[in-house]
Amino acid sequence: QQIYSRRLHYTWRRMQLVVMAAVLALAEVGCFGCHLKNISIPVERCGQEVCIHTTICEGLCYNEDVVFESPEEVPEHRICNGDWSYEVKHTEGCSESITYPVATSCSCSKCNTKDTYCGRLYAHIPSC
């Protein structure tokens, strides 16, 4: 009886670990996670529409809401941010080139208040 109870306990613990690992893996891919996404942007140059194919950073980063908001102590917000480079596209018959950003890598990082609004978003955000 005691050996059976111990085995059941260890099996239960292993199952909890497997489930926790699966939930974390799905959260990284599904609701949370910051990753590159391919997009196309139509741009008009010299009277013709050109399609720019580039990458952006997309996704949500895990944040905990504080119970009490203090004006002296601003909570740290993490945002999906990336490293960027710029590419130039030339179109045939047009002297104007198009310079556009390309995300090369993405990660969750601390929100930089110098170039980003880091306050709370008071809007309905659908859940995953």
Side-chain angles (χ1 to χ4, degrees):
Q1 177 68 12
Q2 190 178 20
I3 292 173
Y4 176 74
S5 177
R6 245 189 243 156
R7 281 187 184 163
L8 187 60
H9 175 75
Y10 290 129
T11 302
W12 177 251
R13 284 286 184 209
R14 275 190 235 129
M15 287 297 291
Q16 284 178 322
L17 289 172
V18 168
V19 169
M20 181 59 89
V23 166
L24 289 173
L26 288 174
E28 190 65 30
V29 172
C31 293
F32 297 103
C34 181
H35 54 273
L36 290 170
K37 179 181 180 179
N38 294 323
I39 64 165
S40 298
I41 305 169
V43 177
E44 190 174 315
R45 271 296 187 259
C46 298
Q48 52 184 310
E49 192 170 286
V50 179
C51 202
I52 301 292
H53 302 287
T54 187
T55 53
I56 62 169
C57 292
E58 175 187 72
L60 298 173
C61 298
Y62 180 78
N63 283 297
E64 287 187 18
D65 266 345
V66 292
V67 177
F68 173 74
E69 286 188 57
S70 166
E72 292 88 30
E73 202 175 305
V74 179
E76 180 181 294
H77 292 283
R78 296 177 61 74
I79 61 169
C80 183
N81 211 345
D83 294 320
W84 298 84
S85 65
Y86 290 87
E87 293 188 9
V88 177
K89 181 171 182 143
H90 300 279
T91 54
E92 195 174 315
C94 183
S95 60
E96 299 175 30
S97 61
I98 302 167
T99 303
Y100 59 96
V102 179
T104 55
S105 66
C106 302
S107 64
C108 291
S109 59
K110 183 178 176 184
C111 187
N112 182 354
T113 56
K114 292 178 184 170
D115 61 13
T116 307
Y117 172 73
C118 301
R120 252 190 203 182
L121 175 64
Y122 294 98
H124 172 71
I125 300 173
S127 61
C128 297

